[in-house]
Amino acid sequence: MSPRALNAADRGRGPHLWRFTPLQRTLHAFVIVSFFGLVLTGLPLHFSNAPWAQGLVRGLGGVGAAGLIHRFCAVITFGYFFVHLGSLVVLARQRGWKRLLWGPDSMIPQPKDLRDILQMFKWFLGRGARPKFDRFSYMEKFDYLAVFWGVAIIGFSGLLLWFPELFSTFLPGWAFNVATIVHGDEALLALSFIFTIHFFNVHLRPEKFPIDLVIFTGRATSGYMEEEHPLEHERIVQTGSLENLAAPPVSRTVYLWSMTLGFASLALGVTIIALVVWAVLH
Amino acid sequence: MRGMVCFAWVLTAVGLLWAVEPMDAQAVPVVRCENCHGERDFFAGADSTLFVPNERLSTTVHSGLACADCHRGFEAGYPHSTVNRVTSCETCHEQEGVDWNASIHAPNATLRGDAPTCVECHGTHEIFGATDRRSPTYSLNVASLCGRCHADPSVIGSYFATADKEQARTAVAQYFETVHGHALTVAGLTVSATCNDCHRAHKVLPPDSAESSVNRRNIPETCGACHEGIIDVYEASAHGAAKQNGTPNGTGHLAPVCIDCHSAHGIVRADEPVWYLGVVEECGTCHEELYETYLETYHGKVTRLGSTLAATCSDCHTPHNMRSVDDPTSSVHPSRLVETCGACHQAANANFVQYRPHADPRQGDTYPVLHWTWLFMTSLLIGVMVFFGIHTILWVTRLTIDHVRAGKGVTPP
């Protein structure tokens, strides 16, 4: 028996299969880096009374630098958001809007997702088998749509706060009060969710512990797919796409970069959660 | 030996003959003081303070006085009494004497003997005017002069040991760090306030004394003696009016005077970050609710993190001319908000100034939209985290149970 691979996506039998495109992997890396930039510079403002707030801001180069980093990362966020929207249009032209918005590999929640949630709880309580997920589980869809909604909401409210004079030409001033609440609380929700629930669902649960690099390397073993996305795997086998999707083993460079970004993100994310807990309890 | 003593007596006798000089036929022979007290050798080995040559007085403010104007009772000539009788300075300096007698220094000088009388500050023979650089009472020298006692650990220990005198313990050292102290020592500004400008030179009284220049009630007048441009504005402000009124407000706070915001011995320049950031706390000690809500806003949060760009209390409410929002001349009266906000936000318009810089989302009646937004966002946060929290805990539990069962050879369902 071969030793258990550190990367969950390398475990299990069979060849590696492509799961994510280079664009998707790149965009996710941009999401990570810009999100950390936004969180690290926004969190001390949200919890300005926290014992660590002033030290963190000083470490980032002061209030001015923090504000600059925050806005720079916001621009990156708008950038990846619109690149992604563009890629959706391209995808829709290739496959048709219908397949993008509905069906087994759509990101839009399906009736099956509701059934999966119920089935999941049945499994939790020992009253049924574990649900079989398709290309995207309801958790991944929630992650995706939460970021989609989050970027839109936080992004728009952030623009309001960035350019209040411009927006006040057609919005009342109390809109900035609302935007402050929405921006901060939605951001708090985003980081709280990502650094606990997303981390658990994707990396830290016993099946995948300690890390799943599929989003970085773009590929996972056939066995991984069979376990995590059995319906998707079944369809791949049935349609004879196994060979089309066959991926070469990951190069050492990509592997090391993925490991570094992955573990660094996990560590930083957990640290940020600790800071939030500290601030809330303070 | 005997010969030496004889020789000394002869010398003394000769000296006295020289000293005694007939003025005119009727006059009592006058002994000129400097004939003895001007000779260093005459008092060799004796108390050196008896050596007072004329030059020591000739350049002082007392150059026109004769020894006997202060040292009375020596008119009968030599030999005179060895008791040093000095007439009170009050004889000429009447008001200063009255003031000093009313000061806290007087009883301590009389009863304990370690508080300053005239000579401790002004000297004895070399008395120069307060505008003379050689004088210890010259403005650039005053802080060091007062510091002789007020920075002396033994004096501090005996007079200022109790908790209520904490400020007095570090007063002199702190003074040198203040804007007044810097102006004096770094910039050499003689017009800068030093000890006696606030505490008075002679009528020095502790702040709890109603007559004290540093009593709360007298502070605006004391500071206003120099800061003339501020005092009028302050008197006309909401704070000034409340001070005139004299009674505590609804929350039990007295109207602030200069030192409440600027402190007494911690005064710094108003454009220094330490002041800029600290004044918010200062206002907050009375305006608690406004302080809390301010800190919920971007202005407040970024200021707390150390930014000096965002608005603090005085940017909107002005530093001294703060007035009620209902007062049409107030900087925060609705009719003047475009101008006030526009000081930073150049393009501020009627829409813009509908921003609520002290909004409290918990107050549903005053801020309904904000309140519901806040409730929705908080519920969303709690709802999502609780749902997925349970989801996660159940997941781990399920896997743990299955793992334990697998160890016992039980196959999961």
Side-chain angles (χ1 to χ4, degrees), chain A residues 243-277:
Chain A
E243 291 201 359
N244 290 345
L245 290 174
V250 67
S251 76
R252 185 143 188 87
T253 315
V254 172
Y255 179 77
L256 285 177
W257 274 108
S258 303
M259 274 289 175
T260 308
L261 182 56
F263 275 116
S265 302
L266 281 174
L268 191 53
V270 172
T271 308
I272 288 167
I273 287 299
L275 292 182
V276 170
V277 171

Side-chain angles (χ1 to χ4, degrees), chain B residues 52-372:
Chain B
V52 188
N54 271 349
E55 308 90 83
R56 281 185 70 183
L57 247 73
S58 60
T59 60
T60 73
V61 286
H62 288 158
S63 61
L65 297 186
C67 306
D69 288 331
C70 296
H71 300 276
R72 304 268 169 94
F74 299 102
E75 293 82 355
Y78 195 83
H80 61 66
S81 160
T82 55
V83 179
N84 182 15
R85 278 163 297 188
V86 183
T87 192
S88 169
C89 306
E90 219 178 325
T91 313
C92 298
H93 302 280
E94 201 174 333
Q95 185 57 46
E96 286 80 357
V98 170
D99 285 347
W100 182 82
N101 276 309
S103 80
I104 187 75
H105 285 151
N108 288 317
T110 315
L111 299 172
R112 297 173 55 162
D114 56 356
T117 61
C118 313
V119 294
E120 270 78 29
C121 297
H122 294 280
T124 50
H125 295 106
E126 287 101 336
I127 296 180
F128 306 102
T131 53
D132 190 313
R133 299 191 71 154
R134 293 170 295 178
S135 170
T137 59
Y138 179 62
S139 56
L140 296 185
N141 304 331
V142 167
S144 310
L145 172 67
C146 300
R148 279 192 220 155
C149 294
H150 285 269
D152 179 344
S154 69
V155 173
I156 290 172
S158 64
Y159 280 102
F160 309 119
T162 54
D164 60 318
K165 305 247 179 357
E166 196 191 346
Q167 187 167 263
R169 292 203 283 274
T170 52
V172 176
Q174 275 199 7
Y175 167 77
F176 286 108
E177 299 301 319
T178 66
V179 64
H180 290 143
H182 273 244
L184 205 84
T185 58
V186 179
L189 270 179
T190 54
V191 292
S192 177
T194 185
C195 312
N196 62 303
D197 291 304
C198 300
H199 295 276
R200 301 281 175 268
H202 301 106
K203 199 172 177 178
V204 180
L205 283 166
D208 51 8
S209 159
E211 273 191 79
S212 169
S213 58
V214 292
N215 180 277
R216 284 184 60 82
R217 249 172 291 174
N218 306 325
I219 284 284
E221 193 191 330
T222 299
C223 302
C226 294
H227 297 276
E228 279 180 43
I230 302 298
I231 186 72
D232 296 342
V233 176
Y234 167 80
E235 298 284 5
S237 76
H239 287 154
K243 187 197 164 273
Q244 287 295 316
N245 188 0
T247 49
N249 69 358
T251 53
H253 295 291
L254 283 168
V257 294
C258 317
I259 54 165
D260 290 305
C261 300
H262 294 276
S263 89
H265 281 255
I267 302 181
V268 294
R269 282 181 66 94
D271 55 3
E272 277 190 25
V274 61
W275 157 264
Y276 199 84
L277 305 176
V279 75
V280 179
E281 307 258 331
E282 211 56 63
C283 302
T285 55
C286 294
H287 301 280
E288 288 146 6
E289 206 178 311
L290 293 170
Y291 173 72
E292 292 297 328
T293 52
Y294 167 74
L295 288 178
E296 289 295 310
T297 67
Y298 176 79
H299 289 147
K301 285 168 183 277
V302 81
T303 298
R304 181 141 70 179
L305 289 180
S307 169
T308 53
L309 290 178
T312 63
C313 316
S314 55
D315 290 304
C316 304
H317 297 275
T318 79
H320 299 109
N321 197 21
M322 52 287 284
R323 291 160 184 258
S324 160
V325 69
D326 302 321
D327 182 339
T329 62
S330 167
S331 60
V332 292
H333 186 265
S335 66
R336 290 192 56 200
L337 280 178
V338 171
E339 181 195 336
T340 300
C341 301
C344 297
H345 304 276
Q346 274 86 11
N349 56 29
N351 270 347
F352 186 89
V353 301
Q354 288 177 52
Y355 174 69
R356 298 278 70 100
H358 290 281
D360 183 359
R362 281 158 285 261
Q363 292 180 0
D365 297 339
T366 324
Y367 308 102
V369 179
L370 200 60
H371 180 65
W372 286 106

Side-chain angles (χ1 to χ4, degrees), chain A residues 45-46 48-49 54 63 123-124 126 138-139 165 168 171 173-174 177 182 186 189 193 196 200 205 207, chain B residues 301-302 304-305 345 347 349 351 354-356 359 370 373 377 381 385 388 391-392 394-396 398-399:
Chain A
L45 198 60
H46 193 88
S48 62
N49 196 30
Q54 291 194 15
V63 180
W123 173 66
F124 287 158
Y138 65 85
M139 288 165 279
E165 296 171 34
S168 74
L171 284 177
W174 53 260
N177 290 105
V182 168
E186 178 66 24
L189 171 57
F193 184 86
T196 58
F200 173 80
R205 62 184 158 95
E207 302 96 313
Chain B
K301 285 168 183 277
V302 81
R304 181 141 70 179
L305 289 180
H345 304 276
N349 56 29
N351 270 347
Q354 288 177 52
Y355 174 69
R356 298 278 70 100
L370 200 60
T373 305
M377 294 309 298
L381 174 68
M385 292 310 290
F388 278 101
H391 188 271
T392 301
L394 288 177
W395 196 332
V396 175
R398 174 79 264 150
L399 288 174

